[in-house]
Coordinates of all heavy atoms in Angstrom, one line a residue:
M23 N 60.3 -16.7 -4.6 CA 60.7 -16.0 -5.8 C 60.8 -17.1 -6.9 O 61.3 -18.2 -6.7 CB 62.2 -15.5 -5.5 CG 62.7 -14.7 -6.6 SD 64.1 -13.8 -5.9 CE 64.7 -13.1 -7.4
I24 N 60.5 -16.6 -8.1 CA 60.5 -17.5 -9.3 C 61.9 -17.5 -9.9 O 62.5 -16.4 -10.1 CB 59.5 -16.9 -10.4 CG1 58.2 -16.9 -9.8 CG2 59.6 -17.8 -11.6 CD1 57.1 -16.3 -10.7
E25 N 62.4 -18.7 -10.1 CA 63.7 -18.9 -10.7 C 63.5 -19.0 -12.2 O 62.8 -19.8 -12.7 CB 64.5 -20.1 -10.2 CG 64.8 -20.0 -8.7 CD 65.9 -19.0 -8.4 OE1 66.7 -18.8 -9.2 OE2 65.8 -18.3 -7.4
Y26 N 64.3 -18.2 -13.0 CA 64.2 -18.2 -14.4 C 65.5 -18.8 -15.0 O 66.6 -18.4 -14.6 CB 64.0 -16.9 -15.0 CG 62.6 -16.3 -14.7 CD1 62.4 -15.3 -13.7 CD2 61.4 -16.7 -15.4 CE1 61.1 -14.8 -13.5 CE2 60.2 -16.2 -15.1 CZ 60.0 -15.3 -14.1 OH 58.8 -14.9 -13.9
D27 N 65.4 -19.7 -15.9 CA 66.5 -20.3 -16.6 C 66.6 -19.7 -18.0 O 65.8 -20.1 -18.8 CB 66.4 -21.9 -16.6 CG 67.6 -22.4 -17.3 OD1 68.7 -21.8 -17.3 OD2 67.5 -23.6 -17.8
P28 N 67.5 -18.8 -18.3 CA 67.5 -18.2 -19.6 C 68.1 -19.1 -20.7 O 68.0 -18.7 -21.8 CB 68.4 -17.0 -19.3 CG 69.3 -17.3 -18.3 CD 68.5 -18.2 -17.4
G29 N 68.6 -20.2 -20.4 CA 69.1 -21.1 -21.3 C 70.5 -20.8 -21.8 O 71.2 -20.0 -21.2
T30 N 70.9 -21.4 -22.9 CA 72.4 -21.3 -23.3 C 72.6 -20.0 -23.8 O 73.7 -19.3 -23.4 CB 72.7 -22.4 -24.4 OG1 72.3 -23.6 -23.9 CG2 74.2 -22.3 -24.8
F31 N 71.8 -19.4 -24.7 CA 72.1 -18.1 -25.3 C 71.3 -17.0 -24.7 O 71.3 -15.9 -25.2 CB 71.8 -18.2 -26.9 CG 72.7 -19.2 -27.5 CD1 72.2 -20.4 -28.0 CD2 74.0 -18.9 -27.7 CE1 73.0 -21.3 -28.6 CE2 74.9 -19.8 -28.3 CZ 74.3 -21.0 -28.8
G32 N 70.5 -17.2 -23.7 CA 69.7 -16.2 -23.0 C 68.4 -15.9 -23.6 O 67.8 -14.9 -23.2
I33 N 68.0 -16.6 -24.6 CA 66.7 -16.4 -25.2 C 65.8 -17.6 -25.3 O 64.8 -17.7 -26.0 CB 66.9 -15.8 -26.7 CG1 67.6 -16.8 -27.6 CG2 67.6 -14.5 -26.7 CD1 67.5 -16.5 -29.0
A34 N 66.2 -18.7 -24.5 CA 65.3 -19.9 -24.5 C 64.0 -19.6 -24.0 O 63.0 -20.4 -24.4 CB 66.0 -21.0 -23.7
F35 N 63.7 -18.6 -23.2 CA 62.3 -18.3 -22.6 C 61.4 -18.0 -23.8 O 60.2 -18.1 -23.6 CB 62.4 -17.3 -21.6 CG 62.9 -15.9 -22.0 CD1 61.9 -15.0 -22.5 CD2 64.2 -15.6 -22.2 CE1 62.2 -13.9 -23.0 CE2 64.5 -14.3 -22.7 CZ 63.6 -13.5 -23.1
V36 N 61.9 -17.5 -24.9 CA 61.0 -17.0 -25.9 C 60.3 -18.2 -26.5 O 59.1 -18.1 -26.9 CB 61.8 -16.3 -27.0 CG1 60.9 -16.0 -28.2 CG2 62.4 -15.1 -26.4
F37 N 60.9 -19.4 -26.6 CA 60.3 -20.6 -27.3 C 59.6 -21.5 -26.2 O 59.2 -22.5 -26.6 CB 61.4 -21.3 -28.0 CG 62.2 -20.5 -29.0 CD1 63.4 -20.0 -28.7 CD2 61.5 -20.1 -30.1 CE1 64.1 -19.3 -29.6 CE2 62.2 -19.3 -31.0 CZ 63.5 -18.9 -30.8
R38 N 59.5 -21.1 -25.0 CA 58.8 -21.9 -24.0 C 57.2 -21.8 -24.2 O 56.8 -20.7 -24.4 CB 59.2 -21.4 -22.6 CG 58.8 -22.3 -21.5 CD 59.3 -21.8 -20.2 NE 58.6 -20.4 -20.0 CZ 58.9 -19.7 -19.0 NH1 59.9 -20.0 -18.2 NH2 58.3 -18.6 -18.8
L39 N 56.6 -22.9 -24.1 CA 55.1 -22.8 -24.3 C 54.4 -22.6 -22.9 O 53.3 -22.0 -22.9 CB 54.6 -24.1 -24.8 CG 55.1 -24.4 -26.3 CD1 54.5 -25.7 -26.8 CD2 54.5 -23.3 -27.2
R40 N 54.9 -23.1 -21.8 CA 54.2 -22.9 -20.5 C 54.3 -21.3 -20.2 O 55.3 -20.8 -20.0 CB 54.9 -23.7 -19.5 CG 54.2 -23.6 -18.1 CD 54.9 -24.7 -17.2 NE 54.7 -24.2 -15.9 CZ 55.6 -23.6 -15.2 NH1 56.8 -23.5 -15.6 NH2 55.3 -23.2 -13.9
G41 N 53.1 -20.8 -19.9 CA 53.0 -19.4 -19.5 C 53.1 -18.5 -20.7 O 53.2 -17.2 -20.5
S42 N 53.0 -18.9 -21.9 CA 53.2 -18.1 -23.0 C 51.8 -17.8 -23.7 O 50.9 -18.6 -23.5 CB 54.0 -18.8 -24.1 OG 54.2 -17.9 -25.3
V43 N 51.7 -16.7 -24.4 CA 50.5 -16.3 -25.1 C 50.6 -16.8 -26.6 O 49.6 -16.7 -27.2 CB 50.3 -14.8 -25.1 CG1 50.1 -14.3 -23.7 CG2 51.4 -14.1 -25.7
F44 N 51.6 -17.4 -27.0 CA 51.8 -17.8 -28.4 C 50.8 -18.9 -28.8 O 50.3 -18.9 -29.9 CB 53.2 -18.2 -28.7 CG 54.1 -17.0 -28.9 CD1 55.2 -16.8 -28.0 CD2 53.8 -16.0 -29.7 CE1 56.0 -15.7 -28.1 CE2 54.7 -14.9 -29.9 CZ 55.7 -14.7 -29.0
P45 N 50.6 -19.9 -27.9 CA 49.6 -21.0 -28.3 C 48.2 -20.4 -28.6 O 47.6 -20.7 -29.5 CB 49.7 -22.0 -27.2 CG 51.0 -21.8 -26.5 CD 51.3 -20.4 -26.7
K46 N 47.8 -19.6 -27.7 CA 46.5 -18.9 -27.8 C 46.4 -18.1 -29.1 O 45.4 -18.0 -29.8 CB 46.0 -18.2 -26.6 CG 44.6 -17.7 -26.6 CD 44.2 -17.0 -25.3 CE 43.8 -18.0 -24.4 NZ 43.1 -17.5 -23.2
G47 N 47.5 -17.3 -29.3 CA 47.5 -16.5 -30.5 C 47.6 -17.3 -31.8 O 46.9 -16.9 -32.8
V48 N 48.3 -18.4 -31.8 CA 48.3 -19.2 -32.9 C 46.9 -19.9 -33.2 O 46.5 -20.0 -34.4 CB 49.4 -20.3 -32.8 CG1 49.2 -21.4 -33.8 CG2 50.8 -19.7 -32.9
M49 N 46.2 -20.2 -32.1 CA 44.8 -20.7 -32.3 C 43.9 -19.7 -32.9 O 43.0 -20.2 -33.7 CB 44.3 -21.0 -30.9 CG 43.0 -21.8 -30.9 SD 42.5 -22.3 -29.3 CE 42.0 -20.7 -28.6
W50 N 44.2 -18.4 -32.8 CA 43.3 -17.4 -33.5 C 43.8 -17.1 -34.8 O 43.1 -16.8 -35.8 CB 43.2 -16.2 -32.6 CG 42.2 -16.3 -31.5 CD1 42.5 -16.7 -30.3 CD2 40.8 -16.1 -31.6 NE1 41.4 -16.8 -29.5 CE2 40.4 -16.4 -30.3 CE3 39.9 -15.8 -32.5 CZ2 39.0 -16.3 -30.0 CZ3 38.6 -15.7 -32.3 CH2 38.2 -16.0 -31.0
A51 N 45.1 -17.1 -35.0 CA 45.8 -16.6 -36.2 C 45.8 -17.7 -37.3 O 45.6 -17.3 -38.5 CB 47.2 -16.2 -35.9
L52 N 45.9 -18.9 -37.0 CA 46.1 -20.0 -38.0 C 44.9 -20.1 -38.9 O 45.0 -20.2 -40.1 CB 46.5 -21.2 -37.3 CG 47.0 -22.3 -38.2 CD1 48.3 -21.9 -38.9 CD2 47.3 -23.7 -37.4
P53 N 43.6 -20.2 -38.3 CA 42.5 -20.3 -39.2 C 42.3 -19.1 -40.1 O 42.0 -19.3 -41.3 CB 41.2 -20.4 -38.2 CG 41.9 -20.9 -36.9 CD 43.2 -20.3 -36.9
S54 N 42.7 -18.0 -39.6 CA 42.6 -16.7 -40.5 C 43.6 -16.9 -41.7 O 43.3 -16.5 -42.7 CB 42.8 -15.5 -39.7 OG 41.9 -15.4 -38.7
A55 N 44.8 -17.3 -41.4 CA 45.8 -17.4 -42.4 C 45.4 -18.4 -43.4 O 45.6 -18.2 -44.6 CB 47.1 -17.8 -41.7
V56 N 44.9 -19.6 -43.0 CA 44.5 -20.6 -43.9 C 43.3 -20.1 -44.7 O 43.4 -20.4 -46.1 CB 44.0 -21.9 -43.1 CG1 43.4 -22.9 -44.0 CG2 45.3 -22.5 -42.5
L57 N 42.4 -19.5 -44.2 CA 41.3 -18.9 -45.0 C 41.8 -17.9 -46.1 O 41.3 -17.9 -47.2 CB 40.3 -18.3 -44.0 CG 39.0 -17.8 -44.7 CD1 38.2 -19.0 -45.2 CD2 38.1 -17.0 -43.6
A58 N 42.7 -17.1 -45.7 CA 43.3 -16.1 -46.6 C 44.0 -16.8 -47.7 O 43.9 -16.4 -48.9 CB 44.3 -15.2 -45.8
V59 N 44.8 -17.8 -47.4 CA 45.5 -18.6 -48.5 C 44.5 -19.3 -49.4 O 44.6 -19.2 -50.7 CB 46.4 -19.6 -47.8 CG1 47.0 -20.6 -48.9 CG2 47.6 -18.9 -47.2
V60 N 43.4 -19.8 -48.9 CA 42.4 -20.5 -49.7 C 41.7 -19.5 -50.6 O 41.5 -19.7 -51.9 CB 41.4 -21.2 -48.8 CG1 40.2 -21.6 -49.6 CG2 42.0 -22.5 -48.2
F61 N 41.3 -18.3 -50.1 CA 40.7 -17.3 -50.8 C 41.7 -16.8 -52.0 O 41.3 -16.6 -53.1 CB 40.3 -16.1 -50.0 CG 39.0 -16.3 -49.4 CD1 38.7 -15.5 -48.2 CD2 38.0 -17.2 -49.9 CE1 37.5 -15.7 -47.6 CE2 36.8 -17.3 -49.2 CZ 36.6 -16.6 -48.0
H62 N 42.9 -16.7 -51.7 CA 43.9 -16.2 -52.7 C 44.1 -17.2 -53.7 O 44.3 -16.8 -54.9 CB 45.2 -15.8 -51.9 CG 46.2 -15.3 -52.9 ND1 46.2 -14.1 -53.5 CD2 47.4 -15.8 -53.4 CE1 47.2 -13.9 -54.3 NE2 48.0 -14.9 -54.2
M63 N 44.1 -18.5 -53.4 CA 44.3 -19.6 -54.4 C 43.1 -19.8 -55.3 O 43.3 -20.0 -56.5 CB 44.7 -20.9 -53.7 CG 46.1 -20.9 -53.1 SD 46.4 -22.3 -52.2 CE 46.2 -23.6 -53.4
Y64 N 41.9 -19.7 -54.8 CA 40.7 -20.1 -55.6 C 39.9 -18.9 -56.1 O 39.2 -19.2 -56.9 CB 39.8 -21.0 -54.7 CG 40.5 -22.4 -54.4 CD1 40.8 -22.7 -53.1 CD2 40.7 -23.3 -55.5 CE1 41.4 -23.9 -52.9 CE2 41.2 -24.5 -55.2 CZ 41.6 -24.8 -53.9 OH 42.2 -26.0 -53.7
M65 N 40.2 -17.7 -55.6 CA 39.4 -16.6 -56.1 C 40.4 -15.4 -56.4 O 40.2 -14.4 -55.7 CB 38.4 -16.2 -55.1 CG 37.3 -17.2 -55.0 SD 35.9 -16.7 -54.0 CE 36.6 -16.4 -52.4
P66 N 41.4 -15.6 -57.2 CA 42.4 -14.5 -57.3 C 41.8 -13.2 -58.0 O 42.2 -12.1 -57.7 CB 43.5 -15.0 -58.0 CG 43.0 -16.2 -58.9 CD 41.8 -16.7 -58.0
E67 N 40.9 -13.4 -59.0 CA 40.4 -12.2 -59.8 C 39.1 -11.7 -59.2 O 38.8 -10.6 -59.5 CB 40.3 -12.5 -61.2 CG 39.4 -13.7 -61.6 CD 40.2 -15.1 -61.6 OE1 41.4 -15.0 -61.8 OE2 39.6 -16.1 -61.5
E68 N 38.4 -12.5 -58.4 CA 37.2 -12.0 -57.8 C 37.5 -11.0 -56.6 O 36.6 -10.2 -56.3 CB 36.3 -13.1 -57.3 CG 35.6 -13.9 -58.4 CD 36.4 -15.0 -58.9 OE1 37.3 -15.4 -58.3 OE2 36.1 -15.5 -60.0
L69 N 38.6 -11.2 -55.9 CA 38.9 -10.3 -54.8 C 39.7 -9.1 -55.3 O 40.8 -9.2 -55.7 CB 39.7 -11.1 -53.9 CG 39.1 -12.3 -53.1 CD1 40.1 -13.0 -52.2 CD2 37.9 -11.8 -52.3
S70 N 39.0 -8.0 -55.4 CA 39.7 -6.8 -55.7 C 40.0 -5.9 -54.5 O 39.3 -5.9 -53.5 CB 39.0 -5.9 -56.7 OG 37.8 -5.4 -56.1
L71 N 41.1 -5.2 -54.5 CA 41.5 -4.4 -53.3 C 41.2 -2.9 -53.6 O 41.8 -2.0 -52.9 CB 43.0 -4.6 -53.1 CG 43.3 -6.0 -52.7 CD1 44.9 -6.0 -52.6 CD2 42.7 -6.4 -51.5
E72 N 40.2 -2.6 -54.4 CA 39.8 -1.2 -54.5 C 39.0 -0.7 -53.3 O 38.1 -1.5 -52.7 CB 38.9 -1.1 -55.7 CG 39.5 -1.4 -57.1 CD 38.6 -1.4 -58.3 OE1 37.4 -1.1 -58.0 OE2 39.0 -1.9 -59.3
G73 N 39.4 0.4 -52.8 CA 38.7 1.0 -51.6 C 39.4 0.6 -50.3 O 38.9 1.0 -49.3
V74 N 40.4 -0.2 -50.4 CA 41.1 -0.6 -49.1 C 41.8 0.6 -48.5 O 41.8 0.7 -47.3 CB 42.1 -1.7 -49.5 CG1 42.9 -2.0 -48.2 CG2 41.4 -3.0 -49.9
D75 N 42.2 1.6 -49.3 CA 42.9 2.7 -48.7 C 42.0 3.6 -47.8 O 42.4 4.1 -46.7 CB 43.6 3.5 -49.7 CG 42.7 3.9 -50.8 OD1 41.6 3.3 -51.0 OD2 43.0 4.8 -51.7
E76 N 40.7 3.7 -48.1 CA 39.7 4.4 -47.3 C 39.5 3.7 -46.1 O 39.4 4.2 -45.0 CB 38.4 4.6 -48.1 CG 38.5 5.7 -49.2 CD 38.8 5.0 -50.6 OE1 38.8 3.8 -50.6 OE2 39.0 5.7 -51.5
I77 N 39.3 2.3 -46.1 CA 39.1 1.5 -45.0 C 40.3 1.6 -44.1 O 40.1 1.7 -42.8 CB 38.8 0.0 -45.4 CG1 37.5 -0.1 -46.1 CG2 38.7 -0.9 -44.1 CD1 37.2 -1.3 -46.8
W78 N 41.5 1.5 -44.6 CA 42.7 1.6 -43.8 C 42.8 2.9 -43.1 O 43.2 3.0 -42.0 CB 43.9 1.3 -44.7 CG 45.2 1.1 -43.9 CD1 46.2 2.1 -44.0 CD2 45.6 0.1 -43.0 NE1 47.2 1.8 -43.1 CE2 46.9 0.6 -42.5 CE3 45.1 -1.0 -42.6 CZ2 47.6 -0.2 -41.6 CZ3 45.8 -1.8 -41.7 CH2 47.0 -1.4 -41.2
S79 N 42.5 4.0 -43.8 CA 42.6 5.3 -43.2 C 41.7 5.5 -42.1 O 41.9 6.1 -41.0 CB 42.5 6.4 -44.3 OG 41.2 6.4 -44.8
G80 N 40.5 5.0 -42.3 CA 39.4 5.1 -41.2 C 39.9 4.2 -40.0 O 39.7 4.6 -38.8
Y81 N 40.4 3.0 -40.3 CA 40.8 2.2 -39.2 C 42.0 2.8 -38.4 O 41.9 2.8 -37.1 CB 41.3 0.8 -39.7 CG 42.0 0.0 -38.7 CD1 41.3 -0.7 -37.8 CD2 43.4 -0.2 -38.7 CE1 41.9 -1.6 -36.8 CE2 44.0 -1.0 -37.9 CZ 43.3 -1.7 -36.9 OH 43.9 -2.5 -36.1
T82 N 43.0 3.4 -39.1 CA 44.1 4.0 -38.4 C 43.7 5.3 -37.6 O 44.2 5.6 -36.6 CB 45.2 4.3 -39.3 OG1 44.7 5.2 -40.4 CG2 45.9 3.1 -39.9
F83 N 42.7 6.0 -38.1 CA 42.2 7.1 -37.4 C 41.5 6.7 -36.1 O 41.8 7.3 -35.1 CB 41.2 7.9 -38.2 CG 40.5 9.0 -37.5 CD1 41.1 10.2 -37.3 CD2 39.2 8.8 -37.1 CE1 40.5 11.2 -36.6 CE2 38.5 9.9 -36.4 CZ 39.2 11.0 -36.1
V84 N 40.6 5.8 -36.1 CA 40.0 5.3 -34.9 C 41.0 4.7 -34.0 O 40.9 5.0 -32.7 CB 38.9 4.2 -35.3 CG1 38.4 3.5 -34.0 CG2 37.8 4.9 -36.0
L85 N 41.9 4.0 -34.5 CA 43.0 3.4 -33.6 C 43.8 4.5 -32.9 O 44.1 4.3 -31.7 CB 43.8 2.4 -34.3 CG 44.9 1.6 -33.5 CD1 44.2 0.6 -32.6 CD2 45.8 0.8 -34.4
G86 N 44.2 5.4 -33.7 CA 45.0 6.5 -33.1 C 44.2 7.3 -32.1 O 44.7 7.7 -31.1
F87 N 42.9 7.6 -32.4 CA 42.1 8.2 -31.4 C 42.0 7.5 -30.1 O 42.0 8.1 -29.0 CB 40.7 8.5 -32.1 CG 39.8 9.2 -31.2 CD1 39.9 10.6 -31.0 CD2 38.8 8.6 -30.4 CE1 39.0 11.3 -30.1 CE2 37.9 9.2 -29.6 CZ 38.1 10.6 -29.4
L88 N 41.8 6.2 -30.2 CA 41.7 5.4 -29.0 C 42.9 5.3 -28.2 O 42.9 5.4 -27.0 CB 41.2 4.0 -29.3 CG 39.8 3.8 -29.8 CD1 39.4 2.4 -30.3 CD2 38.8 4.3 -28.8
I89 N 44.0 5.3 -28.9 CA 45.3 5.3 -28.2 C 45.5 6.6 -27.5 O 46.0 6.6 -26.2 CB 46.5 4.9 -29.2 CG1 46.4 3.5 -29.5 CG2 47.8 5.3 -28.5 CD1 47.4 3.1 -30.6
V90 N 45.3 7.7 -28.2 CA 45.5 9.0 -27.6 C 44.6 9.2 -26.4 O 44.9 9.6 -25.3 CB 45.3 10.1 -28.5 CG1 45.2 11.4 -27.9 CG2 46.4 10.1 -29.6
F91 N 43.3 8.7 -26.4 CA 42.3 8.9 -25.4 C 42.7 8.0 -24.2 O 42.7 8.5 -23.0 CB 41.0 8.3 -25.9 CG 39.9 8.4 -24.9 CD1 39.4 9.6 -24.4 CD2 39.5 7.2 -24.3 CE1 38.4 9.6 -23.4 CE2 38.5 7.2 -23.2 CZ 37.9 8.4 -22.8
R92 N 43.3 6.7 -24.4 CA 43.7 5.9 -23.3 C 44.9 6.5 -22.6 O 45.0 6.5 -21.4 CB 44.0 4.5 -23.8 CG 42.8 3.7 -24.3 CD 42.0 3.1 -23.2 NE 42.9 2.3 -22.4 CZ 42.6 1.1 -21.9 NH1 41.4 0.6 -22.2 NH2 43.4 0.5 -21.1
N93 N 45.8 7.0 -23.3 CA 47.0 7.7 -22.8 C 46.6 8.8 -22.0 O 47.2 9.1 -20.9 CB 48.0 8.0 -23.9 CG 48.8 6.8 -24.3 OD1 48.9 5.7 -23.7 ND2 49.5 6.9 -25.5
S94 N 45.7 9.7 -22.5 CA 45.4 10.9 -21.7 C 44.6 10.5 -20.4 O 44.8 11.1 -19.4 CB 44.5 11.8 -22.5 OG 43.3 11.3 -22.8
Q95 N 43.8 9.4 -20.5 CA 43.1 9.0 -19.3 C 44.2 8.5 -18.2 O 44.2 8.8 -17.1 CB 42.2 7.8 -19.6 CG 41.0 8.2 -20.3 CD 40.0 9.0 -19.3 OE1 40.0 8.7 -18.2 NE2 39.4 10.0 -19.9
A96 N 45.2 7.7 -18.7 CA 46.2 7.1 -17.8 C 47.1 8.3 -17.3 O 47.4 8.2 -16.1 CB 47.1 6.1 -18.6
Y97 N 47.4 9.3 -18.0 CA 48.2 10.3 -17.6 C 47.5 11.2 -16.6 O 48.0 11.6 -15.5 CB 48.5 11.2 -18.8 CG 49.5 12.4 -18.5 CD1 50.8 12.0 -18.3 CD2 49.1 13.7 -18.5 CE1 51.8 13.0 -18.1 CE2 50.1 14.7 -18.3 CZ 51.4 14.3 -18.0 OH 52.3 15.3 -17.8
S98 N 46.2 11.5 -16.7 CA 45.4 12.2 -15.7 C 45.2 11.3 -14.4 O 45.3 11.9 -13.4 CB 44.0 12.6 -16.3 OG 43.3 11.4 -16.5
R99 N 45.1 10.0 -14.6 CA 45.0 9.2 -13.4 C 46.3 9.2 -12.6 O 46.4 9.2 -11.3 CB 44.7 7.8 -13.7 CG 43.2 7.6 -14.0 CD 42.8 6.3 -14.3 NE 41.4 6.1 -14.7 CZ 40.8 4.9 -15.1 NH1 41.6 3.8 -15.1 NH2 39.6 5.0 -15.5
F100 N 47.4 9.1 -13.3 CA 48.8 9.1 -12.7 C 48.9 10.5 -12.0 O 49.4 10.5 -10.8 CB 49.9 9.0 -13.8 CG 51.2 9.3 -13.2 CD1 51.9 8.5 -12.4 CD2 51.8 10.6 -13.5 CE1 53.1 8.7 -11.9 CE2 53.1 10.9 -13.0 CZ 53.7 10.0 -12.2
W101 N 48.6 11.5 -12.6 CA 48.9 12.9 -11.9 C 47.9 13.1 -10.7 O 48.2 13.7 -9.7 CB 48.7 14.0 -12.8 CG 50.1 14.2 -13.5 CD1 50.3 14.0 -14.9 CD2 51.3 14.6 -12.9 NE1 51.6 14.2 -15.1 CE2 52.3 14.5 -13.9 CE3 51.7 14.8 -11.6 CZ2 53.6 14.8 -13.7 CZ3 53.0 15.1 -11.4 CH2 53.9 15.1 -12.4
E102 N 46.7 12.5 -10.8 CA 45.7 12.5 -9.7 C 46.3 11.8 -8.5 O 46.3 12.3 -7.3 CB 44.3 12.0 -10.1 CG 43.3 12.1 -9.0 CD 42.0 11.5 -9.4 OE1 41.9 11.1 -10.6 OE2 41.1 11.5 -8.5
G103 N 46.8 10.6 -8.8 CA 47.4 9.8 -7.7 C 48.6 10.5 -7.1 O 48.8 10.5 -6.0
A104 N 49.5 11.0 -8.0 CA 50.6 11.7 -7.5 C 50.3 12.9 -6.6 O 51.0 13.2 -5.6 CB 51.6 12.1 -8.7
T105 N 49.3 13.7 -7.0 CA 48.8 14.8 -6.3 C 48.3 14.3 -4.9 O 48.6 14.9 -3.8 CB 47.7 15.6 -7.0 OG1 48.2 15.9 -8.3 CG2 47.3 16.8 -6.3
L106 N 47.6 13.2 -4.8 CA 47.0 12.8 -3.6 C 48.1 12.3 -2.6 O 48.1 12.4 -1.5 CB 46.0 11.7 -3.9 CG 44.7 12.1 -4.5 CD1 43.7 10.9 -4.8 CD2 43.9 13.1 -3.5
I107 N 49.1 11.6 -3.3 CA 50.3 11.1 -2.4 C 51.0 12.3 -1.8 O 51.4 12.3 -0.7 CB 51.2 10.3 -3.3 CG1 50.6 9.0 -3.6 CG2 52.5 10.1 -2.6 CD1 50.5 8.0 -2.5
Q108 N 51.2 13.5 -2.6 CA 51.8 14.6 -2.1 C 51.0 15.2 -0.9 O 51.5 15.7 0.1 CB 52.1 15.6 -3.2 CG 53.1 15.2 -4.2 CD 54.5 15.1 -3.4 OE1 54.8 15.8 -2.5 NE2 55.4 14.4 -4.1
Q109 N 49.7 15.3 -1.1 CA 48.9 15.8 -0.1 C 48.9 15.0 1.2 O 49.0 15.6 2.3 CB 47.4 15.9 -0.6 CG 47.2 17.0 -1.6 CD 45.6 16.9 -2.0 OE1 44.9 16.0 -1.7 NE2 45.3 17.9 -2.9
T110 N 48.9 13.7 1.0 CA 49.0 12.8 2.2 C 50.3 13.0 2.9 O 50.5 13.1 4.1 CB 48.8 11.4 1.8 OG1 47.6 11.2 1.1 CG2 48.9 10.4 2.9
R111 N 51.4 13.1 2.1 CA 52.7 13.3 2.7 C 52.8 14.6 3.4 O 53.4 14.7 4.5 CB 53.8 13.2 1.5 CG 55.1 13.3 2.1 CD 56.1 13.0 0.9 NE 57.5 13.3 1.3 CZ 58.3 14.2 0.8 NH1 57.9 14.7 -0.3 NH2 59.5 14.3 1.2
G112 N 52.2 15.6 2.8 CA 52.2 17.0 3.5 C 51.4 17.0 4.7 O 51.8 17.7 5.7
E113 N 50.4 16.1 4.8 CA 49.6 16.2 6.1 C 50.3 15.4 7.2 O 50.1 15.6 8.4 CB 48.2 15.5 5.8 CG 47.3 16.4 5.1 CD 45.9 15.8 4.8 OE1 45.7 14.6 5.3 OE2 45.1 16.4 4.0
W114 N 51.1 14.4 6.8 CA 51.8 13.6 7.8 C 53.0 14.3 8.4 O 53.3 14.2 9.6 CB 52.3 12.3 7.1 CG 51.3 11.3 7.0 CD1 50.0 11.3 7.4 CD2 51.4 10.0 6.3 NE1 49.3 10.2 7.0 CE2 50.2 9.4 6.3 CE3 52.4 9.4 5.6 CZ2 50.0 8.1 5.8 CZ3 52.3 8.2 5.1 CH2 51.0 7.5 5.1
F115 N 53.6 15.1 7.6 CA 54.8 15.8 8.1 C 54.5 17.2 8.4 O 54.6 18.2 7.9 CB 56.0 15.7 7.1 CG 56.4 14.2 7.0 CD1 56.2 13.6 5.8 CD2 57.0 13.5 8.1 CE1 56.7 12.3 5.6 CE2 57.3 12.3 7.9 CZ 57.2 11.6 6.7

């Protein structure tokens, strides 16, 4: 069994690097953040945000569709498994 030490206030595990996804996430996020800051500093008037609302609405539509699809797949798999368990239980008893 794994022993966990929550620390003094019970949240020390959040700042632990071993076994965490934060170092890998920072490795991907930091270059993007630096690039965004550089673009904002050196090209403030060249970057216009016209048309972003259409892109954002398309992105949220696709993301919502995928989430609903994945949830319905998981729900149907759950009920298929529950039905098979009930059938197995019914055959045993």
Side-chain angles (χ1 to χ4, degrees):
M23 184 168 171
I24 299 173
E25 295 289 328
Y26 291 103
D27 182 25
T30 306
F31 298 107
I33 60 167
F35 66 91
V36 173
F37 303 107
R38 190 176 67 189
L39 291 180
R40 187 173 150 254
S42 177
V43 298
F44 288 118
K46 188 177 273 189
V48 167
M49 186 176 71
W50 282 95
L52 194 62
S54 299
V56 169
L57 190 64
V59 168
V60 167
F61 279 158
H62 182 70
M63 288 174 56
Y64 291 113
M65 296 187 293
E67 54 273 337
E68 284 89 16
L69 296 175
S70 72
L71 297 177
E72 296 174 9
V74 172
D75 50 347
E76 289 90 8
I77 295 171
W78 184 253
S79 65
Y81 171 74
T82 54
F83 172 76
V84 169
L85 185 64
F87 181 78
L88 289 175
I89 288 173
V90 168
F91 179 74
R92 293 281 304 226
N93 280 342
S94 68
Q95 288 288 327
Y97 189 69
S98 66
R99 286 181 182 180
F100 167 77
W101 278 114
E102 182 181 359
T105 304
L106 291 173
I107 289 292
Q108 288 294 337
Q109 286 177 355
T110 304
R111 185 173 171 233
E113 289 178 7
W114 283 353
F115 297 113

